Every structure is written in structure tokens, then in C-alpha cells.
Amino acid sequence: MVINQNSVKTGLPRSYHHGALRPALIAAAEAVLAETGVDRFSLRETARRAGVSASAPAHHFGDARGLLTALAAAAFVELGDALESASRTLQGAQAVRAMGVAYVGFALGQRASFDLMWRESLLDCSNAEYAAAARRAFSLLDRAVRGEAGGTCAPTDPAAAPAVAAWAMVHGFARLALDGTFGLDNAAPQHAADMLLPAVLDHLEV
Amino acid sequence: MVINQNSVKTGLPRSYHHGALRPALIAAAEAVLAETGVDRFSLRETARRAGVSASAPAHHFGDARGLLTALAAAAFVELGDALESASRTLQGAQAVRAMGVAYVGFALGQRASFDLMWRESLLDCSNAEYAAAARRAFSLLDRAVRGEAGGTCAPTDPAAAPAVAAWAMVHGFARLALDGTFGLDNAAPQHAADMLLPAVLDHLEV
DNA sequence: TGTACATCAGTGAACGCGCGTTCACTGATGTAC
DNA sequence: TGTACATCAGTGAACGCGCGTTCACTGATGTAC
């Protein structure tokens, strides 16, 4: 298959068919999301960036919700990867701690994606890829917290309470930081994470 | 001053001047917010409910942001009251625990208000009443956690770390519950809080 | 007590906005024979 | 190897949407004298 990348980038005319529009739209959407924030995301702007008409995305994602769900699923995969690599060589409390730092780091580093991941009203939460990616992220945390026993049960299972506690603490910290509790300027969340997060994690008993 | 309440309620014609439009708009806005959720809030719909023209709110709140900020400030006051009354007769860890339960209860019971309180993009975060009400809620928690020493420093102060840890955990738990982590049906958040929250709070060390 | 007048608190029409989606269409591709 | 044809992946114009805000206005209130 001949791949005709976007003429916006190359300057060359591209043929009628894009050739790899799906990934191009994902990339454009991520850029739009990061720049405008989740509340101002626009499908039309995404199409504009990808150099196609406003109706083109419908062929690949159905509607805006479909595209955003794909984005959120990808973000959960990335979060899972970050948790995994942060804790790879560690065990027990050390692993949990490293995951907590990585979790907050992800949230602060990819704010718009992190916002999107939890915005039910914009997503198709029953989408299989989305659900699986979200589930995996939790399982990684559960396994770190409970060792061999962890990683197989749902967050609703009473046995998962220690993992939920860890998750809640880092999730809440990230949200408070992003939502301006530690200051409204852009650097405040990172500053708070650096100064406060280690001490905060000391109050998590796992 | 003669107060002419809204003709929508009384059925009687009301005079040109409403008489108590500001509180009426607040009440209407709370109703709209609760019914539509924060993402679908509409100033026009609020004016419609209050029985006035779409431009009337501008006289009392400037713009939509002004009205939403007043709503968020009121919600923070209410949250503070809930925290206070939940822990009134308690001390130490018991008080913190009771506040945690009250915090999550508030979030789940007043979902739309809770969502709004943290939505920077819709609020004027520098508004004095909003800032003071938010600050008070944190101070109450800090005082419960640190006793006499608490309640006077900002969340960014390293000394506040234990209170931030408690706050983060309950805030994160509430957000995860509201955002569908424990199931997508409406009853799931409350069910999760009932079954999981006590065990989760056991992992908070204060 | 009456009157003039400034101020307050509403009206309602109009504006401009960008959005997501639909629709009939067409250029390009790939496959069956 | 050529050809017919189904299918795929785009176009671009149009639709309808409800929104927040602005504007010139006017009815009602309250106050100074």
C-alpha cells in the first residue's frame, strides 16, 4: 500500500486518498487536545490539522466520541507503561511509591490526556480497548500493592481496598494539583509534586 | 422593600422588578446544574427557570463565570459545614475519618456542585469569597489532622503534608467513584463508598 | 406632602460563534474473471 | 494482461443547534428639596 502522508507537512500535493488517515487523526487530535484542553477540543480543528475535510473523521471513528475514546484508551496504555517501567526493578512499598510518583508525573505531564481519561460524558466507557487499558493500569498497581495475590480482581472487590487506597491518594493528589489547589500558575502543580508528594506518600500505609 | 417573588411559582403577575432576583438565580442555577451536569450548564436556561430574560443575570453576576463562581463558593461553604458537623464531637483519627466519610458523602450527594468546585476553566478562582470558602474547608481538615498546630497554613506548606495526604485520599476516592471506576450505573459510587471506603481509610496513616 | 430626577433592575431583539453531523457526490483502489 | 465493477475513503456544502453577550430601551424605585 502506498502511503500518502498529509500535504500540510510535506508541501507536496497528496492524492485524494490520504493513505494513513487514522493515525494522522489520532496525532492531530492529541495535539489539539494538548493545546486547547479537553473542554475546548474540536473535531473540526482536528480535521483541519490533518488536512482533511470535517467529515473525513467519521469514516474512521464514527463520531467525536469514537475518536476521543481511542485517545483515552491510548493514554491509559501509556499510563500503564509508565507505571510498569517506573517499578520494574522494585518490590513492595518501594514499587508502590515509585508508581505513585510516576502516576502523578503522568498526570502533570499530560494534563489534557489525563483530564480526558476520566471524562465519562465524552467517552464510550464500554469500549473494549478503553476498558481493557484502564483495567490493566489498575491491575499493575494492585499487583505492586498485594504482590502475587494482586492484579486479578476488579477495583470493586473488597480485597482490592489497599490498591484502591493507593490509587485514590495519588489520583487525588494529581487532581488537586492540576485543579489549582497548590497555586494557579502553570508551574505550581510540578512544584507541589516535588515539594509535597514524597511526604504525602509517607502517610499511605500499604 | 417589597419582595416580588417569581411569577412562575405563584402564578400571579409579578411587577417589572423581581425584588429578589439574585438569590432566585442562584437557586435556579443550582437546579439546572444538578439536572444537566456541569458540562451542560446554561445561563439562558437558568434565566428561563427564574422567569426572567436572558440578559437579566448580567446585572447581578456580570457574566456566566460570575454566577458559577458564586455557586462554587456556596458549595465550598456547604462542604465546610458538612466537615465541621461530622467531626464536631470527635478527636484525632476519629475526626479525620468522619471528615473523610463526610467529604465523600458530599461529593456523591452533590455531584454537579462537586464537579464545578474544581473546574478552574469555568470559575474566577481569584474571587475572594470562593478562595476563602475553599481555604476554610482545607483548614478544617488540617486542624483535625494536626490538632492545635493545624488550620493556619496553606496547603502548599510542607507542614500541611499530613492534611494534604488525607485530602488527596478522600478526594481521589470520590473522583474515582464519580468517574465510573467502580461501575457506570448511578448507584455504583454510593455502593462503592459503602463497601470500600472504610477499608480504604484504614490505609491512611495520620 | 408633592414633585423632579437620578439610579436601579429589568426587557427583548439581534449578533456572531463554532460546533458536530448529514448528505449526495466522486476519485482511487483492488479484485474477479 | 485487460477490463468491469464493487467497495473504500475522501469532498464540500448545508443544516440546525443553543449558546453568551451586547445594546438601546423602559418601567419602577427611592431620594433630595
Side-chain angles (χ1 to χ4, degrees):
Chain A
M1 181 211 278
V2 175
I3 296 183
N4 265 303
Q5 293 295 357
N6 186 337
S7 64
V8 172
K9 262 191 180 167
T10 61
L12 297 171
R14 70 149 224 271
S15 79
Y16 192 90
H17 286 110
H18 184 285
L21 184 52
R22 195 188 152 95
L25 283 170
I26 294 272
E30 275 170 354
V32 171
L33 187 65
E35 284 173 36
T36 69
V38 69
D39 288 317
R40 300 226 173 279
F41 176 83
S42 152
L43 187 60
R44 289 185 94 103
E45 176 60 19
T46 297
R48 238 172 264 135
R49 298 274 183 118
V52 293
S53 73
S55 48
H59 288 277
H60 295 275
F61 298 100
D63 55 15
R65 180 182 302 273
L67 174 54
L68 289 173
T69 301
L71 248 53
F76 260 116
V77 168
E78 210 182 324
L79 171 60
D81 292 346
L83 295 180
E84 210 167 27
S85 82
S87 62
R88 201 183 295 283
T89 63
L90 305 171
Q91 298 284 328
Q94 295 241 319
V96 175
R97 217 182 158 82
M99 276 187 168
V101 172
Y103 190 101
V104 173
F106 177 87
L108 268 49
Q110 319 240 30
R111 161 159 208 168
S113 294
F114 187 74
D115 286 345
L116 176 66
M117 290 158 76
W118 313 96
R119 199 62 76 79
E120 264 190 271
S121 64
L122 301 178
L123 304 175
D124 171 16
C125 296
S126 65
N127 173 277
E129 287 174 42
Y130 170 81
R135 182 69 182 278
R136 168 186 167 235
F138 173 71
S139 292
L140 289 166
L141 189 54
D142 190 30
R143 177 160 278 274
V145 170
R146 295 196 292 140
E148 295 300 315
T152 57
C153 71
T156 44
D157 191 315
V164 171
W167 192 6
M169 187 180 276
V170 295
H171 189 78
F173 186 89
R175 280 256 59 96
L176 291 173
L178 290 173
D179 291 339
T181 300
F182 303 122
L184 293 173
D185 60 298
N186 284 337
Q190 191 58 55
H191 185 251
D194 295 340
M195 311 298 328
L196 234 38
L197 184 57
V200 164
L201 288 173
D202 284 340
H203 293 86
L204 176 67
E205 201 174 31
V206 288
Chain B
M1 180 212 276
V2 174
I3 296 184
N4 264 302
Q5 292 296 358
N6 184 338
S7 65
V8 171
K9 262 193 177 165
T10 61
L12 297 172
R14 71 151 223 270
S15 78
Y16 193 89
H17 287 110
H18 185 285
L21 185 52
R22 195 188 151 95
L25 283 170
I26 294 274
E30 275 170 352
V32 171
L33 188 64
E35 285 173 36
T36 68
V38 69
D39 287 318
R40 300 225 172 281
F41 177 83
S42 152
L43 187 60
R44 290 185 94 104
E45 175 61 19
T46 296
R48 238 172 264 135
R49 298 275 183 116
V52 293
S53 73
S55 48
H59 288 275
H60 295 276
F61 298 100
D63 55 15
R65 180 182 303 272
L67 174 53
L68 289 173
T69 301
L71 248 51
F76 260 116
V77 168
E78 209 182 325
L79 171 60
D81 292 347
L83 295 180
E84 210 166 27
S85 81
S87 62
R88 202 182 295 281
T89 63
L90 304 172
Q91 299 282 330
Q94 295 241 320
V96 176
R97 217 183 156 82
M99 277 186 168
V101 171
Y103 191 101
V104 173
F106 177 87
L108 270 49
Q110 318 241 30
R111 159 157 212 171
S113 293
F114 187 74
D115 286 345
L116 175 67
M117 290 158 76
W118 313 96
R119 199 63 76 77
E120 264 190 272
S121 64
L122 301 178
L123 304 176
D124 170 15
C125 296
S126 66
N127 173 277
E129 288 175 42
Y130 170 82
R135 182 68 182 275
R136 169 185 166 235
F138 173 72
S139 292
L140 289 167
L141 189 53
D142 190 30
R143 176 160 280 274
V145 170
R146 295 196 292 139
E148 295 300 315
T152 57
C153 71
T156 44
D157 190 317
V164 170
W167 192 7
M169 187 180 277
V170 296
H171 189 77
F173 186 90
R175 281 256 58 96
L176 291 173
L178 290 173
D179 291 340
T181 300
F182 303 122
L184 294 173
D185 60 298
N186 284 338
Q190 192 56 57
H191 185 250
D194 295 340
M195 310 292 349
L196 233 38
L197 183 57
V200 164
L201 288 174
D202 284 340
H203 292 87
L204 176 68
E205 200 174 33
V206 288

